[in-house]
Amino acid sequence: MLYIKCPHCGWRSQNEFSYGGDATVKRPELGKDISDQDWNNFVYNRKSLRGRHWELWQHLSGCRQWIKVERDTATHEIFNTLKATEEIS
Amino acid sequence: MTQKFRLENVGLINRNKKLSFKFNGKTYYGYEGDTLASALIANGVHLVGRSFKYHRPRGFFGAGVDEPYAIVQLYRNGETEPNIKATEQELFEGLEATSVNCWPSVNFDIGAINNFLKIFLPAGFYYKTFMWPKSFWYKIYEPFIRKAAGLGTASIKHDKERYEHKYEYCDLLIAGSGPSGLASAYAAAKNGASVILAEDKSRFGGTLLTSEVNIGNKSGKEWAEGIISELKEMPNVTVKNRSQVFGYYDHNMLVMSERISDHLPETKKFHPKQRLWYIRAKEVLISSGSIERPIVFGNNDTPGVMLSSAAKEYMKVYGVLVGRNPVIFTNNDSGYETAIEFKNNGIDPLILDTRKDPNSEIINDAKNLGIEIKNSYVVVAAKGYKKVKSADISKISDDKEQLGKIENIKCDCICVSGFWTPTIHLASQSGNKTKFNEEIDAFVPGVSKQNEKTLGAAKGIYTLQETLKDSFETGNELSKKITNSENKVSFPNVVEKKSTVHDKFWCVPLPKGKNYKRFLDFQNDVAVSDIEIALKEGYRSIEHVKRYTTLGMATDQGKTSNLNGLQLVSKIENKVVPAVGHTTFRPPYTPVSIGAIVGREVGKHSKPTRKSPMHTWHEENNAVFVDAGVWLRPRYYKQGNENLFEASKREAKNVRTNVGVCDVTTLGKIDIKGPDAAELLNRVYTNAWLKLPVGKARYGVMLREDGIVMDDGTTTRISENHYHMTTTTAQAANVLSHLEYYLQLVWPELNVNVVSSTEQWAGAAIAGPKSRDLLKKLFPNSDVSNEGLPFMGYMEGDLFGVKARIFRISFSGELAYEVNVESDYGNFMWEKIIEIGQEFKIQPYGTEALSTLRIEMGHVAGSELDGRTIPYDNSLEGLLSKKKDFIGKRSLNRDAFTSEDRQKVVGVVPLDKKTSIPEGSHLVKDANAPLPNPKLGYISASCWSVEYDNPFSLAILKDGKNMIGEKLFVMSPLKNKVIPVEIVSSHYVDPKGERVRS
Ligand SMILES: [Zn+2]
């Protein structure tokens, strides 16, 4: 079970969190025209990365905040966690 | 029966407490502090089971966790448990155990015929033989193999024992209380670190209990006792015996099973039987020691052949002799320690040492005691069927290839020592890249992946001096870093016997003309010849060889067999062992009971049960409940001998003619506040929300980004910046996360807060033509007329002193209201509604009637909004705003979603107006078309229409919009039904929706 540092609450076990997918995907702005290809990329197309990956988790059984977690998908090593509003550098 | 093999005055057992126990129906006696194994050996019992494949007699091979043979079925306090190692099970008064894997009895076993047919049971036998003919597998082969094999019988009774889970955090977790565990725990504890020290056995101390050493002028055992009692006094230390750390998971999370009551005749009141610890440790020290390795020779599985260290442990810990005429077969000095122990107890052992001319302090001691030693000698084969009676021995050439003349000598046990294998399971599980150590012919931990270090024998350090020094230092260094304080303990003076190098010899060659079985894996009956066949047949990867031959795949995980297997493969393949590599170590290190894994989450505790505040009333009024997610909801209220169908029909009919009340507390509720609340709703719902006035409710549909309907419900504007959202019971949690996702990540600029208020409000839906009359009496001070509270209106009211929210919304399609009060007043509200509703013939109705009412009205719900349908499919396209963008809108342009013959919800009525239509059935054009019959749609929900008194269903049907009036067939292969039906509008009752507005 992973050990994740919530930027709001501190270190908590994985069973308090739920996984929320790729954190680098940006939702296209509402009301803006967008090509089919770009929309499909946003809704469906994800890279299945091996290695460092920024992903979203929600601290569901804690502060309920969505957070960004940089995790190695192969080794599970977690390098960094950020608040929802913090930009991935 | 007397304990003929019990020594006097030796051992750590309590001779003042004699215990009686039964094995295979026969009564024996042992002492408190015995294991089942030591007590049986004390009574001269060495035949405890039959082997897995050949049903050869099985005795004891070890004295602890590594035991591959002595697996028994245990009976304790009216319960039975399989897969219990006799070497680990502590004796208690009244213990009963039986042999497993033998039929009809351990002494006469029919399966042993396999032993004489063994030429037919080589590696891969099952794969090769039982594959053909295919139909034979289930009927003939499998049942027979299952009966003949197996390691006991699982109980099918409910387990009345309690098992607990515990979460713990510590600075250092130390697995194993031998010298390295004690030293490191002590050093770390002195520095103020929080320490958990876990010991698998009942006694702390590991090898210190059996070795002749001196630490700080104390015997090893006394030193261990001193350290343990000091540790137990320290508030920052948790010391646990009978506790096996069996798994090492990600981020330094380890799992340990604590056997709290297994050693007692019955579990004490309020105590669990076992406890599973989830431990998150900053640092882990693995002090799991090493396991002695067998030497492979002919018939080396005969009862009476055992590890030399086990023989020593039986003497020193349990005061038990494994034999009176022992042969010690060794390639290193450890065997001499066992021999000396025999000699000290008045027994004359014979040592066969594979080495030509070894010289060390221990060997000199043995010589000085007059112990007979034969150098360059091996045991060629054990003789005897159910117990060793003699041994064929021989001199062996210097190159270890040629045997000399074979002599037969009488003996009653053969104690084997093939040197030591570090227990690296936990390190390997942690991701540590293990490496091969040529000096000890074994794998040791290499580069750590997690915060883990291995100490002492577990990393191949076999001298006490070095072990203690390293362990004290490591414990001190690691804890110092965590606590920032140092309280260094002085290193004690260590006296131990010096030993010399071992011989790398591990397998005795077959003598000419002999075809002895030489076993590698004692639990799975894998012999040298099996590996040879596997390699001949082309298997190369050690992982494949393992699976094909089942080497190391038994419940002991090959603790005594893996390395010898590797040695053999590398020898045949002419590779070095590290090139062959070892197979993956996976948790658990030892079998863990299912009860411990499950913990308290069994039966009704397997998930939480949520009940509405009115639950007791429902119970008292004959409600029959149904699971709705984690909620318990009344399905119907039984009157007399009614069944579900009759009761739900009555309840639904009463709503259509009078008035009914339904507990809708379980609906998800989300409180939304903030100046941008309307903007949020406008973005997540498909319809327009910016102009909803205060005091009005609106129905809304939410989509996922892919255009699929996520949820529906009504949201009410309570005040300027305050909204009350309702969701379906099932989607409540997902909808909240969905809103939080957009607010926190996508539109952080919106000033809105959302919070679940599901539990804060109790809800009652009051539905039926007489509902307004009832409402007037419930709220005499409020204007609830059609003008005062129109359809989709909202007001606050005073329910006999309790503040209530009144919503004029309808799920049943009737004139209806929903009243909410704070949960604490839920029951008060309910009783008032029932009491005052009597004059209007009110009846409570459950989920079944609720479904009937919504289905015949054509209201879509969970069975249509099933994660596969878009708004159009549910005839909700009228709710899609053309003027604004919303979540999921862009996806609705997809070709499949806009195709002319897109599926759509329709109504379905059987032509005979009698036959009920099973939910999940398929709709087809031609009932007799060849298979696969093209499917046009499926039945999503079925009911018995109370309005028309005939069956009615909703279906999602291809080109539904043009199918009204068509005649199709419903097919249910599951129920073997073909029903001719007519497609009608999904709005079967009151298609214009006049009633809700009346
Ligand atoms: Zn948090």
PDB file of all heavy atoms in Angstrom, chain B residues 618 621-626 633-639 642-648 650-651 844-849:
ATOM      1  N   HIS B 618     -39.848   1.240  10.197  1.00  0.00           N
ATOM      2  CA  HIS B 618     -40.029   0.288   9.095  1.00  0.00           C
ATOM      3  C   HIS B 618     -40.003  -1.146   9.622  1.00  0.00           C
ATOM      4  O   HIS B 618     -40.821  -1.969   9.252  1.00  0.00           O
ATOM      5  CB  HIS B 618     -38.939   0.461   8.033  1.00  0.00           C
ATOM      6  CG  HIS B 618     -38.851   1.835   7.444  1.00  0.00           C
ATOM      7  ND1 HIS B 618     -39.963   2.602   7.176  1.00  0.00           N
ATOM      8  CD2 HIS B 618     -37.771   2.589   7.073  1.00  0.00           C
ATOM      9  CE1 HIS B 618     -39.582   3.767   6.666  1.00  0.00           C
ATOM     10  NE2 HIS B 618     -38.258   3.792   6.601  1.00  0.00           N
ATOM     11  N   ASN B 621     -43.042  -2.170  11.333  1.00  0.00           N
ATOM     12  CA  ASN B 621     -44.216  -2.248  10.475  1.00  0.00           C
ATOM     13  C   ASN B 621     -44.009  -3.210   9.310  1.00  0.00           C
ATOM     14  O   ASN B 621     -44.484  -2.989   8.200  1.00  0.00           O
ATOM     15  CB  ASN B 621     -44.605  -0.846  10.000  1.00  0.00           C
ATOM     16  CG  ASN B 621     -45.205  -0.026  11.136  1.00  0.00           C
ATOM     17  OD1 ASN B 621     -46.389  -0.080  11.391  1.00  0.00           O
ATOM     18  ND2 ASN B 621     -44.348   0.695  11.855  1.00  0.00           N
ATOM     19  N   ASN B 622     -43.297  -4.296   9.628  1.00  0.00           N
ATOM     20  CA  ASN B 622     -43.168  -5.444   8.721  1.00  0.00           C
ATOM     21  C   ASN B 622     -42.533  -5.108   7.376  1.00  0.00           C
ATOM     22  O   ASN B 622     -42.901  -5.678   6.357  1.00  0.00           O
ATOM     23  CB  ASN B 622     -44.529  -6.103   8.470  1.00  0.00           C
ATOM     24  CG  ASN B 622     -45.134  -6.608   9.749  1.00  0.00           C
ATOM     25  OD1 ASN B 622     -44.420  -7.081  10.630  1.00  0.00           O
ATOM     26  ND2 ASN B 622     -46.448  -6.458   9.885  1.00  0.00           N
ATOM     27  N   ALA B 623     -41.599  -4.158   7.396  1.00  0.00           N
ATOM     28  CA  ALA B 623     -40.902  -3.880   6.145  1.00  0.00           C
ATOM     29  C   ALA B 623     -40.000  -5.062   5.803  1.00  0.00           C
ATOM     30  O   ALA B 623     -39.386  -5.657   6.691  1.00  0.00           O
ATOM     31  CB  ALA B 623     -40.072  -2.616   6.277  1.00  0.00           C
ATOM     32  N   VAL B 624     -39.952  -5.393   4.528  1.00  0.00           N
ATOM     33  CA  VAL B 624     -38.967  -6.353   4.033  1.00  0.00           C
ATOM     34  C   VAL B 624     -37.913  -5.508   3.327  1.00  0.00           C
ATOM     35  O   VAL B 624     -38.229  -4.735   2.431  1.00  0.00           O
ATOM     36  CB  VAL B 624     -39.616  -7.354   3.060  1.00  0.00           C
ATOM     37  CG1 VAL B 624     -38.563  -8.295   2.489  1.00  0.00           C
ATOM     38  CG2 VAL B 624     -40.708  -8.128   3.778  1.00  0.00           C
ATOM     39  N   PHE B 625     -36.664  -5.640   3.782  1.00  0.00           N
ATOM     40  CA  PHE B 625     -35.638  -4.700   3.320  1.00  0.00           C
ATOM     41  C   PHE B 625     -34.884  -5.217   2.101  1.00  0.00           C
ATOM     42  O   PHE B 625     -34.808  -6.404   1.848  1.00  0.00           O
ATOM     43  CB  PHE B 625     -34.650  -4.403   4.459  1.00  0.00           C
ATOM     44  CG  PHE B 625     -35.256  -3.611   5.580  1.00  0.00           C
ATOM     45  CD1 PHE B 625     -35.800  -4.243   6.695  1.00  0.00           C
ATOM     46  CD2 PHE B 625     -35.319  -2.227   5.521  1.00  0.00           C
ATOM     47  CE1 PHE B 625     -36.377  -3.520   7.725  1.00  0.00           C
ATOM     48  CE2 PHE B 625     -35.896  -1.492   6.544  1.00  0.00           C
ATOM     49  CZ  PHE B 625     -36.430  -2.137   7.654  1.00  0.00           C
ATOM     50  N   VAL B 626     -34.296  -4.261   1.388  1.00  0.00           N
ATOM     51  CA  VAL B 626     -33.464  -4.607   0.236  1.00  0.00           C
ATOM     52  C   VAL B 626     -32.192  -3.760   0.335  1.00  0.00           C
ATOM     53  O   VAL B 626     -32.225  -2.639   0.855  1.00  0.00           O
ATOM     54  CB  VAL B 626     -34.226  -4.346  -1.084  1.00  0.00           C
ATOM     55  CG1 VAL B 626     -34.591  -2.880  -1.246  1.00  0.00           C
ATOM     56  CG2 VAL B 626     -33.429  -4.825  -2.288  1.00  0.00           C
ATOM     57  N   ARG B 633     -33.094  -0.405   2.496  1.00  0.00           N
ATOM     58  CA  ARG B 633     -34.342   0.320   2.233  1.00  0.00           C
ATOM     59  C   ARG B 633     -35.509  -0.649   2.293  1.00  0.00           C
ATOM     60  O   ARG B 633     -35.384  -1.809   1.887  1.00  0.00           O
ATOM     61  CB  ARG B 633     -34.305   0.958   0.839  1.00  0.00           C
ATOM     62  CG  ARG B 633     -33.270   2.043   0.684  1.00  0.00           C
ATOM     63  CD  ARG B 633     -33.467   2.786  -0.621  1.00  0.00           C
ATOM     64  NE  ARG B 633     -34.628   3.689  -0.554  1.00  0.00           N
ATOM     65  CZ  ARG B 633     -34.986   4.496  -1.563  1.00  0.00           C
ATOM     66  NH1 ARG B 633     -34.297   4.488  -2.684  1.00  0.00           N
ATOM     67  NH2 ARG B 633     -36.032   5.292  -1.430  1.00  0.00           N
ATOM     68  N   PRO B 634     -36.691  -0.187   2.753  1.00  0.00           N
ATOM     69  CA  PRO B 634     -37.867  -1.072   2.709  1.00  0.00           C
ATOM     70  C   PRO B 634     -38.223  -1.370   1.253  1.00  0.00           C
ATOM     71  O   PRO B 634     -38.318  -0.451   0.440  1.00  0.00           O
ATOM     72  CB  PRO B 634     -38.974  -0.221   3.358  1.00  0.00           C
ATOM     73  CG  PRO B 634     -38.261   0.827   4.136  1.00  0.00           C
ATOM     74  CD  PRO B 634     -36.999   1.107   3.374  1.00  0.00           C
ATOM     75  N   ARG B 635     -38.343  -2.663   0.943  1.00  0.00           N
ATOM     76  CA  ARG B 635     -38.728  -3.032  -0.422  1.00  0.00           C
ATOM     77  C   ARG B 635     -40.255  -3.057  -0.518  1.00  0.00           C
ATOM     78  O   ARG B 635     -40.830  -2.630  -1.497  1.00  0.00           O
ATOM     79  CB  ARG B 635     -38.154  -4.405  -0.747  1.00  0.00           C
ATOM     80  CG  ARG B 635     -38.260  -4.750  -2.199  1.00  0.00           C
ATOM     81  CD  ARG B 635     -37.521  -6.024  -2.508  1.00  0.00           C
ATOM     82  NE  ARG B 635     -37.498  -6.256  -3.949  1.00  0.00           N
ATOM     83  CZ  ARG B 635     -37.103  -7.399  -4.479  1.00  0.00           C
ATOM     84  NH1 ARG B 635     -36.687  -8.394  -3.701  1.00  0.00           N
ATOM     85  NH2 ARG B 635     -37.106  -7.555  -5.780  1.00  0.00           N
ATOM     86  N   TYR B 636     -40.864  -3.569   0.542  1.00  0.00           N
ATOM     87  CA  TYR B 636     -42.324  -3.492   0.658  1.00  0.00           C
ATOM     88  C   TYR B 636     -42.689  -3.735   2.109  1.00  0.00           C
ATOM     89  O   TYR B 636     -41.867  -4.204   2.900  1.00  0.00           O
ATOM     90  CB  TYR B 636     -43.022  -4.501  -0.263  1.00  0.00           C
ATOM     91  CG  TYR B 636     -42.717  -5.963   0.012  1.00  0.00           C
ATOM     92  CD1 TYR B 636     -43.594  -6.755   0.764  1.00  0.00           C
ATOM     93  CD2 TYR B 636     -41.556  -6.558  -0.481  1.00  0.00           C
ATOM     94  CE1 TYR B 636     -43.318  -8.092   1.014  1.00  0.00           C
ATOM     95  CE2 TYR B 636     -41.277  -7.894  -0.235  1.00  0.00           C
ATOM     96  CZ  TYR B 636     -42.161  -8.658   0.511  1.00  0.00           C
ATOM     97  OH  TYR B 636     -41.879  -9.967   0.758  1.00  0.00           O
ATOM     98  N   TYR B 637     -43.901  -3.384   2.449  1.00  0.00           N
ATOM     99  CA  TYR B 637     -44.392  -3.588   3.819  1.00  0.00           C
ATOM    100  C   TYR B 637     -45.412  -4.714   3.742  1.00  0.00           C
ATOM    101  O   TYR B 637     -46.466  -4.569   3.131  1.00  0.00           O
ATOM    102  CB  TYR B 637     -45.024  -2.306   4.360  1.00  0.00           C
ATOM    103  CG  TYR B 637     -44.060  -1.138   4.440  1.00  0.00           C
ATOM    104  CD1 TYR B 637     -43.786  -0.366   3.313  1.00  0.00           C
ATOM    105  CD2 TYR B 637     -43.419  -0.818   5.641  1.00  0.00           C
ATOM    106  CE1 TYR B 637     -42.896   0.699   3.373  1.00  0.00           C
ATOM    107  CE2 TYR B 637     -42.530   0.257   5.709  1.00  0.00           C
ATOM    108  CZ  TYR B 637     -42.271   1.012   4.566  1.00  0.00           C
ATOM    109  OH  TYR B 637     -41.398   2.064   4.628  1.00  0.00           O
ATOM    110  N   LYS B 638     -45.071  -5.803   4.363  1.00  0.00           N
ATOM    111  CA  LYS B 638     -45.874  -7.019   4.217  1.00  0.00           C
ATOM    112  C   LYS B 638     -47.136  -6.943   5.073  1.00  0.00           C
ATOM    113  O   LYS B 638     -47.062  -6.640   6.272  1.00  0.00           O
ATOM    114  CB  LYS B 638     -45.015  -8.199   4.661  1.00  0.00           C
ATOM    115  CG  LYS B 638     -45.500  -9.561   4.267  1.00  0.00           C
ATOM    116  CD  LYS B 638     -44.533 -10.604   4.845  1.00  0.00           C
ATOM    117  CE  LYS B 638     -45.038 -12.011   4.626  1.00  0.00           C
ATOM    118  NZ  LYS B 638     -44.567 -12.576   3.370  1.00  0.00           N
ATOM    119  N   GLN B 639     -48.261  -7.205   4.482  1.00  0.00           N
ATOM    120  CA  GLN B 639     -49.506  -7.324   5.253  1.00  0.00           C
ATOM    121  C   GLN B 639     -49.997  -8.751   5.118  1.00  0.00           C
ATOM    122  O   GLN B 639     -50.176  -9.238   4.007  1.00  0.00           O
ATOM    123  CB  GLN B 639     -50.573  -6.356   4.721  1.00  0.00           C
ATOM    124  CG  GLN B 639     -50.268  -4.898   5.021  1.00  0.00           C
ATOM    125  CD  GLN B 639     -51.418  -3.970   4.623  1.00  0.00           C
ATOM    126  OE1 GLN B 639     -52.455  -4.400   4.140  1.00  0.00           O
ATOM    127  NE2 GLN B 639     -51.210  -2.672   4.845  1.00  0.00           N
ATOM    128  N   GLU B 642     -49.139 -11.635   2.259  1.00  0.00           N
ATOM    129  CA  GLU B 642     -48.771 -11.065   0.969  1.00  0.00           C
ATOM    130  C   GLU B 642     -47.370 -11.458   0.539  1.00  0.00           C
ATOM    131  O   GLU B 642     -46.471 -11.560   1.360  1.00  0.00           O
ATOM    132  CB  GLU B 642     -48.762  -9.530   1.070  1.00  0.00           C
ATOM    133  CG  GLU B 642     -50.104  -8.895   0.889  1.00  0.00           C
ATOM    134  CD  GLU B 642     -49.968  -7.385   1.028  1.00  0.00           C
ATOM    135  OE1 GLU B 642     -48.980  -6.921   1.629  1.00  0.00           O
ATOM    136  OE2 GLU B 642     -50.831  -6.684   0.536  1.00  0.00           O
ATOM    137  N   ASN B 643     -47.208 -11.616  -0.774  1.00  0.00           N
ATOM    138  CA  ASN B 643     -45.852 -11.741  -1.290  1.00  0.00           C
ATOM    139  C   ASN B 643     -45.423 -10.397  -1.874  1.00  0.00           C
ATOM    140  O   ASN B 643     -46.185  -9.428  -1.866  1.00  0.00           O
ATOM    141  CB  ASN B 643     -45.760 -12.880  -2.322  1.00  0.00           C
ATOM    142  CG  ASN B 643     -46.666 -12.660  -3.523  1.00  0.00           C
ATOM    143  OD1 ASN B 643     -47.032 -11.519  -3.828  1.00  0.00           O
ATOM    144  ND2 ASN B 643     -47.037 -13.738  -4.195  1.00  0.00           N
ATOM    145  N   LEU B 644     -44.215 -10.369  -2.387  1.00  0.00           N
ATOM    146  CA  LEU B 644     -43.648  -9.120  -2.931  1.00  0.00           C
ATOM    147  C   LEU B 644     -44.566  -8.520  -3.998  1.00  0.00           C
ATOM    148  O   LEU B 644     -44.868  -7.324  -3.993  1.00  0.00           O
ATOM    149  CB  LEU B 644     -42.262  -9.432  -3.526  1.00  0.00           C
ATOM    150  CG  LEU B 644     -41.653  -8.363  -4.439  1.00  0.00           C
ATOM    151  CD1 LEU B 644     -41.256  -7.138  -3.633  1.00  0.00           C
ATOM    152  CD2 LEU B 644     -40.439  -8.922  -5.185  1.00  0.00           C
ATOM    153  N   PHE B 645     -45.025  -9.372  -4.900  1.00  0.00           N
ATOM    154  CA  PHE B 645     -45.842  -8.894  -6.024  1.00  0.00           C
ATOM    155  C   PHE B 645     -47.146  -8.265  -5.515  1.00  0.00           C
ATOM    156  O   PHE B 645     -47.514  -7.146  -5.907  1.00  0.00           O
ATOM    157  CB  PHE B 645     -46.124 -10.076  -6.957  1.00  0.00           C
ATOM    158  CG  PHE B 645     -46.978  -9.733  -8.124  1.00  0.00           C
ATOM    159  CD1 PHE B 645     -46.494  -8.937  -9.156  1.00  0.00           C
ATOM    160  CD2 PHE B 645     -48.284 -10.208  -8.193  1.00  0.00           C
ATOM    161  CE1 PHE B 645     -47.298  -8.617 -10.237  1.00  0.00           C
ATOM    162  CE2 PHE B 645     -49.095  -9.886  -9.273  1.00  0.00           C
ATOM    163  CZ  PHE B 645     -48.603  -9.096 -10.294  1.00  0.00           C
ATOM    164  N   GLU B 646     -47.799  -8.979  -4.603  1.00  0.00           N
ATOM    165  CA  GLU B 646     -49.099  -8.493  -4.108  1.00  0.00           C
ATOM    166  C   GLU B 646     -48.937  -7.211  -3.304  1.00  0.00           C
ATOM    167  O   GLU B 646     -49.703  -6.257  -3.458  1.00  0.00           O
ATOM    168  CB  GLU B 646     -49.764  -9.576  -3.239  1.00  0.00           C
ATOM    169  CG  GLU B 646     -50.197 -10.797  -4.036  1.00  0.00           C
ATOM    170  CD  GLU B 646     -50.331 -12.057  -3.174  1.00  0.00           C
ATOM    171  OE1 GLU B 646     -49.899 -12.048  -1.994  1.00  0.00           O
ATOM    172  OE2 GLU B 646     -50.867 -13.046  -3.678  1.00  0.00           O
ATOM    173  N   ALA B 647     -47.913  -7.204  -2.455  1.00  0.00           N
ATOM    174  CA  ALA B 647     -47.733  -6.044  -1.581  1.00  0.00           C
ATOM    175  C   ALA B 647     -47.378  -4.797  -2.388  1.00  0.00           C
ATOM    176  O   ALA B 647     -47.936  -3.717  -2.180  1.00  0.00           O
ATOM    177  CB  ALA B 647     -46.645  -6.336  -0.553  1.00  0.00           C
ATOM    178  N   SER B 648     -46.451  -4.957  -3.350  1.00  0.00           N
ATOM    179  CA  SER B 648     -46.011  -3.773  -4.089  1.00  0.00           C
ATOM    180  C   SER B 648     -47.146  -3.246  -4.973  1.00  0.00           C
ATOM    181  O   SER B 648     -47.296  -2.045  -5.166  1.00  0.00           O
ATOM    182  CB  SER B 648     -44.772  -4.087  -4.922  1.00  0.00           C
ATOM    183  OG  SER B 648     -45.048  -5.105  -5.847  1.00  0.00           O
ATOM    184  N   ARG B 650     -50.346  -3.444  -4.243  1.00  0.00           N
ATOM    185  CA  ARG B 650     -51.257  -2.740  -3.325  1.00  0.00           C
ATOM    186  C   ARG B 650     -50.719  -1.347  -2.996  1.00  0.00           C
ATOM    187  O   ARG B 650     -51.444  -0.337  -3.048  1.00  0.00           O
ATOM    188  CB  ARG B 650     -51.430  -3.548  -2.027  1.00  0.00           C
ATOM    189  CG  ARG B 650     -52.075  -2.760  -0.893  1.00  0.00           C
ATOM    190  CD  ARG B 650     -52.212  -3.559   0.394  1.00  0.00           C
ATOM    191  NE  ARG B 650     -50.952  -4.146   0.870  1.00  0.00           N
ATOM    192  CZ  ARG B 650     -49.963  -3.463   1.460  1.00  0.00           C
ATOM    193  NH1 ARG B 650     -50.060  -2.152   1.619  1.00  0.00           N
ATOM    194  NH2 ARG B 650     -48.875  -4.082   1.875  1.00  0.00           N
ATOM    195  N   GLU B 651     -49.410  -1.307  -2.685  1.00  0.00           N
ATOM    196  CA  GLU B 651     -48.817  -0.019  -2.301  1.00  0.00           C
ATOM    197  C   GLU B 651     -48.855   0.977  -3.465  1.00  0.00           C
ATOM    198  O   GLU B 651     -49.194   2.149  -3.289  1.00  0.00           O
ATOM    199  CB  GLU B 651     -47.370  -0.232  -1.831  1.00  0.00           C
ATOM    200  CG  GLU B 651     -47.263  -0.981  -0.497  1.00  0.00           C
ATOM    201  CD  GLU B 651     -45.832  -1.404  -0.170  1.00  0.00           C
ATOM    202  OE1 GLU B 651     -44.896  -0.991  -0.903  1.00  0.00           O
ATOM    203  OE2 GLU B 651     -45.645  -2.133   0.822  1.00  0.00           O
ATOM    204  N   PRO B 844     -47.541   3.374   3.694  1.00  0.00           N
ATOM    205  CA  PRO B 844     -46.136   3.506   3.296  1.00  0.00           C
ATOM    206  C   PRO B 844     -45.878   2.632   2.064  1.00  0.00           C
ATOM    207  O   PRO B 844     -46.529   1.597   1.903  1.00  0.00           O
ATOM    208  CB  PRO B 844     -45.366   2.980   4.504  1.00  0.00           C
ATOM    209  CG  PRO B 844     -46.309   2.037   5.162  1.00  0.00           C
ATOM    210  CD  PRO B 844     -47.705   2.537   4.905  1.00  0.00           C
ATOM    211  N   TYR B 845     -45.000   3.038   1.196  1.00  0.00           N
ATOM    212  CA  TYR B 845     -44.628   2.183   0.072  1.00  0.00           C
ATOM    213  C   TYR B 845     -43.115   2.063  -0.041  1.00  0.00           C
ATOM    214  O   TYR B 845     -42.370   2.966   0.326  1.00  0.00           O
ATOM    215  CB  TYR B 845     -45.272   2.637  -1.238  1.00  0.00           C
ATOM    216  CG  TYR B 845     -44.884   4.006  -1.776  1.00  0.00           C
ATOM    217  CD1 TYR B 845     -43.954   4.140  -2.807  1.00  0.00           C
ATOM    218  CD2 TYR B 845     -45.479   5.167  -1.286  1.00  0.00           C
ATOM    219  CE1 TYR B 845     -43.623   5.391  -3.333  1.00  0.00           C
ATOM    220  CE2 TYR B 845     -45.159   6.423  -1.793  1.00  0.00           C
ATOM    221  CZ  TYR B 845     -44.227   6.538  -2.814  1.00  0.00           C
ATOM    222  OH  TYR B 845     -43.898   7.759  -3.318  1.00  0.00           O
ATOM    223  N   GLY B 846     -42.710   0.912  -0.539  1.00  0.00           N
ATOM    224  CA  GLY B 846     -41.274   0.606  -0.596  1.00  0.00           C
ATOM    225  C   GLY B 846     -40.706   0.800  -1.991  1.00  0.00           C
ATOM    226  O   GLY B 846     -41.356   1.337  -2.883  1.00  0.00           O
ATOM    227  N   THR B 847     -39.491   0.334  -2.178  1.00  0.00           N
ATOM    228  CA  THR B 847     -38.791   0.576  -3.444  1.00  0.00           C
ATOM    229  C   THR B 847     -39.439  -0.153  -4.612  1.00  0.00           C
ATOM    230  O   THR B 847     -39.342   0.295  -5.752  1.00  0.00           O
ATOM    231  CB  THR B 847     -37.321   0.124  -3.350  1.00  0.00           C
ATOM    232  OG1 THR B 847     -37.294  -1.248  -2.932  1.00  0.00           O
ATOM    233  CG2 THR B 847     -36.549   0.970  -2.362  1.00  0.00           C
ATOM    234  N   GLU B 848     -40.103  -1.270  -4.327  1.00  0.00           N
ATOM    235  CA  GLU B 848     -40.714  -2.024  -5.419  1.00  0.00           C
ATOM    236  C   GLU B 848     -41.883  -1.241  -6.021  1.00  0.00           C
ATOM    237  O   GLU B 848     -41.993  -1.101  -7.240  1.00  0.00           O
ATOM    238  CB  GLU B 848     -41.175  -3.390  -4.888  1.00  0.00           C
ATOM    239  CG  GLU B 848     -41.381  -4.431  -5.957  1.00  0.00           C
ATOM    240  CD  GLU B 848     -40.076  -4.877  -6.620  1.00  0.00           C
ATOM    241  OE1 GLU B 848     -38.999  -4.689  -6.029  1.00  0.00           O
ATOM    242  OE2 GLU B 848     -40.151  -5.389  -7.750  1.00  0.00           O
ATOM    243  N   ALA B 849     -42.745  -0.683  -5.134  1.00  0.00           N
ATOM    244  CA  ALA B 849     -43.856   0.144  -5.622  1.00  0.00           C
ATOM    245  C   ALA B 849     -43.307   1.415  -6.281  1.00  0.00           C
ATOM    246  O   ALA B 849     -43.802   1.867  -7.316  1.00  0.00           O
ATOM    247  CB  ALA B 849     -44.790   0.489  -4.469  1.00  0.00           C
TER     248      ALA B 849
END
